[in-house]
Amino acid sequence: MTTSPVDIQTRTLRKVMWRFLPLLGLCYFALYLDRLNVSVAALTMNEQLGITPAVYGLIAGIFFWTYSLFEIPSNYIVSRVGVRLWVSRIIVSWGLVTMATAAAQGEISLMLLRLLLGVAEAGFSPAMLFFVACWFPPAQRAIAISLMVVAVPLSGFGTPISTHIMTGMDGLLGLPGWRWMFLVTGLPPVILGFVFYMVIRNRPADASFLEPDERAWLTTELAKEAEGLGGHTAHPFRRGVLNPRVAVLVVVYIMFAFSLFGYQFFIPQILRQFGMETNLIGWVAALPPVLAVVPMVWWSRHSDRSQERIRHFAASAATASVGFLAAGLLIDQPALAIAGFCVAGIGLYCCIPIQLSIPSTFLAGSALAAGLATINGLGNIGGYIGPQVTGIIREATGDFRLAVLVLGISIMGSAVLALALDLRIRRAKVSAARAAVLDAS
């Protein structure tokens, strides 16, 4: 009996999803927990180490200096040695640096450790996206990415975990709670790195868990994509770095990252301004990302079904902007401001899988690895600027109203620029179609 294409597609992709996506999601959870736990530590660490809001903004965002600098080189290595080996190294490295952060003694040592964390993490996210592109055909890519990065909003549960570690272990063996938090949250990635190496395979041809016909089908489907993109798998790594659309997406991502990380690194302190105690801050800070989980998966599936990416991103970014603007204007009314942050969180997290799937619509192979590294690396400059500007505004004005409004304006700029890119692409397609008709006649 001949197996229908639908049957082989369903069982092949189901196997691939269950084999890889839970582990990738767990790694993303650990990544964001360790990247953002400094925002929780700041609730007590800043006072103990004498750190001002502006300096804290620098410490939080300085991570992206080295992260951006090493992103492209890291993904060049991925394109040469494969995801399995290099990403295993990345995961273990960031866990060790997180644990070392417990030894920070002041501003300088904390800055150096954050810079080292950027070096350790560099290349992880683009490598994961490259991995998804190596295993999932285009029609299933956005939903695969969303199921992987759903751990990003779920990492909001890491905030109450971190706050409870801080309060529950405070004073144990003479160490303050924030030092214990770094030690405890840094250990899981060290273990995950070894698990990652044992489970992950670089390409379908290496997948012993697939039947021969399943490997053949998946390899054929991915080869069709490369042919449709003009055989980009044969193009050099530099093609993805120099692509004009990549340059526009870098600016889009800078404005998005400005708002995302300006919000994430300061939301515990915003909630502290509302008069909340530490453990409650953890749970309330988790609310916006957790509420975003279902909308993010649904919106990604909708993007897959319509095979449209950029306008889906723009709609999500506009939603985040509305939420931030409402929260900023209503910052004196905590309940309404928190509702605004929930809307902003839904918009922000819905942006992530859509934005991450855009490059694979026009790049493949090594060029895709390069494009993802360029967008994620240079785009995360916004991850430095956002917290820095937020801290400076907070210190200058005494509250977060203006800072939150600026976050809303930045993410709206990201939406507008994305729509401008979409319009340009559509006009180019119309012009190409007209030229083809003229040539045919």
Side-chain angles (χ1 to χ4, degrees):
M1 180 180 294
T2 302
T3 304
S4 73
V6 174
D7 289 340
I8 195 170
Q9 172 182 314
T10 300
R11 59 183 165 88
T12 302
L13 294 179
R14 182 182 293 120
K15 285 183 180 181
V16 173
M17 283 186 175
W18 280 108
R19 174 80 177 190
F20 296 134
L21 293 186
L23 175 59
L24 300 185
L26 192 58
C27 291
Y28 259 103
F29 184 96
L31 175 84
Y32 272 79
L33 176 63
D34 286 350
R35 181 186 295 182
L36 299 174
N37 57 15
V38 69
S39 67
V40 177
L43 294 172
T44 57
M45 177 187 71
N46 286 3
E47 182 178 353
Q48 291 179 18
L49 300 183
I51 296 173
T52 65
V55 171
Y56 166 74
L58 174 61
I59 290 169
I62 203 172
F63 156 88
F64 290 105
W65 286 12
T66 47
Y67 184 87
S68 298
L69 182 64
F70 284 89
E71 193 83 324
I72 293 176
S74 181
N75 274 270
Y76 179 77
I77 296 174
V78 166
S79 72
R80 295 299 181 182
V81 307
V83 170
R84 183 188 184 197
L85 176 63
W86 191 244
V87 173
S88 298
R89 191 281 307 164
I90 290 174
I91 298 170
V92 172
S93 297
W94 96 55
L96 292 174
V97 175
T98 298
M99 296 177 73
T101 307
Q105 298 299 312
E107 296 174 5
I108 301 301
S109 59
L110 196 52
M111 286 182 189
L112 291 174
L113 285 161
R114 293 291 290 176
L115 287 169
L116 190 57
L117 183 63
V119 175
E121 275 193 30
F124 175 80
S125 292
M128 291 297 91
L129 301 175
F130 178 62
F131 178 81
V132 168
C134 291
W135 282 90
F136 291 90
Q140 291 79 33
R141 198 161 290 159
I143 187 61
I145 291 173
S146 71
L147 290 174
M148 176 176 66
V149 301
V150 72
V152 176
L154 284 177
S155 67
F157 282 120
T159 307
I161 291 173
S162 297
T163 55
H164 280 282
I165 292 173
M166 276 180 50
T167 57
M169 301 185 72
D170 188 39
L172 182 64
L173 300 180
L175 294 177
W178 64 269
R179 295 189 188 276
W180 279 113
M181 184 199 64
F182 283 121
L183 286 170
V184 172
T185 59
L187 181 59
V190 176
I191 299 170
L192 274 176
F194 291 98
V195 175
F196 188 93
Y197 184 81
M198 290 187 290
V199 173
I200 294 299
R201 297 294 180 267
N202 288 324
R203 54 184 181 169
D206 301 328
S208 59
F209 64 93
L210 293 178
E211 298 297 328
D213 61 332
E214 295 167 344
R215 285 197 298 271
W217 174 85
L218 187 54
T219 302
T220 301
E221 288 299 305
L222 294 169
K224 288 179 183 177
E225 177 195 14
E227 293 172 4
L229 291 172
H232 285 193
T233 50
H235 291 160
F237 189 83
R238 66 178 179 273
R239 176 169 189 147
V241 177
L242 302 176
N243 190 290
R245 293 185 191 178
V246 168
V248 176
L249 289 173
V250 165
V251 182
V252 169
Y253 194 76
I254 286 174
M255 291 186 286
F256 166 73
F258 180 102
S259 298
L260 175 66
F261 293 108
Y263 162 74
Q264 287 182 330
F265 282 123
F266 274 93
I267 186 61
Q269 294 181 61
I270 293 173
L271 297 176
R272 171 59 60 83
Q273 183 176 285
F274 294 159
M276 295 182 184
E277 55 92 21
T278 300
N279 284 336
L280 181 58
I281 287 173
W283 288 107
V284 176
L287 191 58
V290 170
L291 288 176
V293 171
V294 173
M296 185 180 80
V297 174
W298 174 79
W299 195 232
S300 298
R301 189 179 295 275
H302 189 275
S303 176
D304 271 343
R305 288 173 178 168
S306 64
Q307 284 297 286
E308 196 287 319
R309 309 300 187 194
I310 298 178
R311 284 177 291 169
H312 279 74
F313 170 84
S316 302
T319 301
S321 178
V322 170
F324 279 131
L325 294 175
L329 293 172
L330 299 169
I331 202 77
D332 293 331
Q333 303 178 57
L336 295 179
I338 291 169
F341 285 126
C342 288
V343 173
I346 290 172
L348 283 172
Y349 291 107
C350 283
C351 281
I352 294 175
I354 305 300
Q355 186 269 338
L356 296 177
S357 64
I358 293 174
S360 64
T361 62
F362 60 91
L363 295 172
S366 295
L368 176 59
L372 290 169
T374 302
I375 294 167
N376 201 58
L378 297 180
N380 270 312
I381 292 171
Y384 161 69
I385 301 173
Q388 181 69 59
V389 170
T390 303
I392 291 172
I393 294 175
R394 164 66 178 83
E395 190 166 323
T397 62
D399 65 21
F400 286 99
R401 181 189 302 276
L402 180 58
V404 173
L405 293 175
V406 170
L407 298 180
I409 293 170
S410 179
I411 191 69
M412 181 57 75
S414 182
V416 171
L417 184 56
L419 289 175
L421 174 62
D422 181 67
L423 180 60
R424 181 175 180 179
I425 292 172
R426 290 176 183 276
R427 285 178 175 174
K429 288 181 179 179
V430 171
S431 298
R434 287 175 178 171
V437 171
L438 291 175
D439 290 341
S441 60

